[in-house]
Amino acid sequence: MAVSSRTEVCVLAVLVALCIAARTAVVAGGIIEDGLELDWGQGNVSKDGQVISLYLDRDSGGSGLRSRDTYLYARTDLQIKLVPNNSAGTVTTFFFLSEGPWEIHDEIDLEFLGNVSGQPYTLHTNIFANGTGQKEEQFRLWFDPATDFHTYSIVWTPKHILVLVDGTPIREFRNHAKKGVAYPYPSSQRMRLFGSLWNADDWATQGGRVKTDWSAAPFLAQYRNFKATTSSPGGYGYYDDKELDGTTKKKMERVREEYMIYNYCTDTKRFPNGVAPPECSMK
């Protein structure tokens, strides 16, 4: 084979490989500052390249970070160590949020509600689409999330939204648009990832009955090992092409049976006639 022919073959092989890669996952991660940046609270953030620490005190109101990129469908994984000891009144967050008008915003929300020392943390989840939310589910975490880092993941695809804790799904919210169900699903607005630590003692702990103990401030939450996996349009990655298998579904059902403490679908005060939103009865 002539030298020019071998060169052409090599160039073609490289182009094919690049085309294949473009349709599969693109990963942002490594040093946490490569993917995340300060959002607010400059004086209450410290970082060492591997860990970003957010602080909250009475004067500052807290601090926050955000992803450098925006996404239209992605899997994001982030390890978080929550506020230890008496964290009542504090809220640590990890969420997607669109940047358009608030009246039509999309959001996938994870909020970790602080607790009186010795009580379990509450993980509050909610989903907004086109400005419509009120799709809350809450869980008691089955471990102490303040003694070590744990991995929290949001998988957002055209098919469904998954919330995972240490790799175990605890919530699935499906897109039933193809079935003609007229309820909003976040599918058209790019979203940015955010994390924050702030005070919400008017509602966060036992409905606001337990207030923040500022003598314990500053409060500290830490973030590390951020990874965002995305795909090019039409080439969605491995994480969203597959349905949950039987084993994974059973794990999710077990967690929901044992640790879910609130489900908007079964809220008789909100739906006194027993007529819950249509997605509540769909698989």
Side-chain angles (χ1 to χ4, degrees):
M1 181 182 293
V3 173
S4 60
S5 297
R6 289 200 300 269
T7 301
E8 291 173 358
V9 170
C10 290
V11 170
L12 179 61
V14 170
L15 290 174
V16 170
L18 289 174
C19 289
I20 292 173
R23 290 182 60 83
T24 55
V26 178
V27 177
I31 297 176
I32 193 165
E33 293 177 55
D34 290 343
L36 299 175
E37 62 186 7
L38 174 69
D39 185 32
W40 58 283
Q42 178 71 50
N44 278 314
V45 178
S46 66
K47 48 191 176 181
D48 64 6
Q50 300 299 327
V51 176
I52 293 181
S53 299
L54 301 183
Y55 296 89
L56 165 67
D57 57 39
R58 185 193 292 270
D59 296 328
S60 69
S63 48
L65 50 82
R66 68 178 191 175
S67 62
R68 297 182 184 275
D69 297 327
T70 61
Y71 309 98
L72 183 61
Y73 305 128
R75 170 171 180 153
T76 56
D77 302 276
L78 190 58
Q79 290 190 322
I80 307 174
K81 183 190 290 186
L82 300 181
V83 177
N85 303 318
N86 184 357
S87 57
T90 70
V91 176
T92 306
T93 69
F94 169 40
F95 62 99
F96 275 119
L97 180 65
S98 64
E99 298 182 307
W102 183 256
E103 295 77 15
I104 58 170
H105 84 285
D106 291 349
E107 184 176 353
I108 305 170
D109 195 21
L110 274 64
E111 296 183 314
F112 302 88
L113 310 185
N115 64 88
V116 179
S117 184
Q119 296 182 354
Y121 257 89
T122 297
L123 171 54
H124 175 91
T125 70
N126 200 359
I127 296 166
F128 287 78
N130 198 33
T132 300
Q134 294 188 325
K135 302 184 187 308
E136 304 95 336
E137 290 185 1
Q138 292 186 344
F139 303 82
R140 295 289 194 205
L141 293 178
W142 51 95
F143 51 85
D144 186 346
T147 58
D148 202 354
F149 286 92
H150 290 265
T151 302
Y152 305 95
S153 308
I154 299 173
V155 179
W156 171 40
T157 80
K159 184 183 300 181
H160 60 190
I161 294 166
L162 290 174
V163 177
L164 302 95
V165 176
D166 288 333
T168 298
I170 65 171
R171 179 173 187 178
E172 181 182 27
F173 184 79
R174 298 185 65 86
N175 183 1
H176 293 297
K178 291 183 178 180
K179 298 180 180 179
V181 179
Y183 72 90
Y185 181 89
S187 60
S188 61
Q189 301 187 75
R190 297 185 69 85
M191 293 199 277
R192 192 180 299 275
L193 185 75
F194 293 85
S196 61
L197 173 61
W198 54 288
N199 178 53
D201 66 3
D202 57 331
W203 65 270
T205 305
Q206 297 182 26
R209 291 189 296 274
V210 182
K211 303 299 182 181
T212 303
D213 179 6
W214 292 110
S215 69
F219 301 100
L220 166 67
Q222 295 180 297
Y223 296 73
R224 74 178 186 187
N225 291 346
F226 167 66
K227 183 169 70 171
T229 309
T230 65
S231 298
S232 60
Y236 304 116
Y238 68 93
Y239 56 85
D240 63 322
D241 290 333
K242 297 179 180 179
E243 295 287 342
L244 298 178
D245 60 35
T247 300
T248 304
K249 284 184 178 180
K250 287 182 179 178
K251 289 181 179 180
M252 182 171 66
E253 290 170 359
R254 188 179 310 119
V255 169
R256 292 174 66 82
E257 288 175 1
E258 295 183 12
Y259 300 107
M260 186 166 66
I261 59 173
Y262 178 81
N263 184 349
Y264 76 104
C265 288
T266 58
D267 189 336
T268 56
K269 292 183 179 179
R270 184 179 295 183
F271 312 113
N273 297 322
V275 182
E279 69 270 16
C280 292
S281 57
M282 301 187 72
K283 300 295 184 180

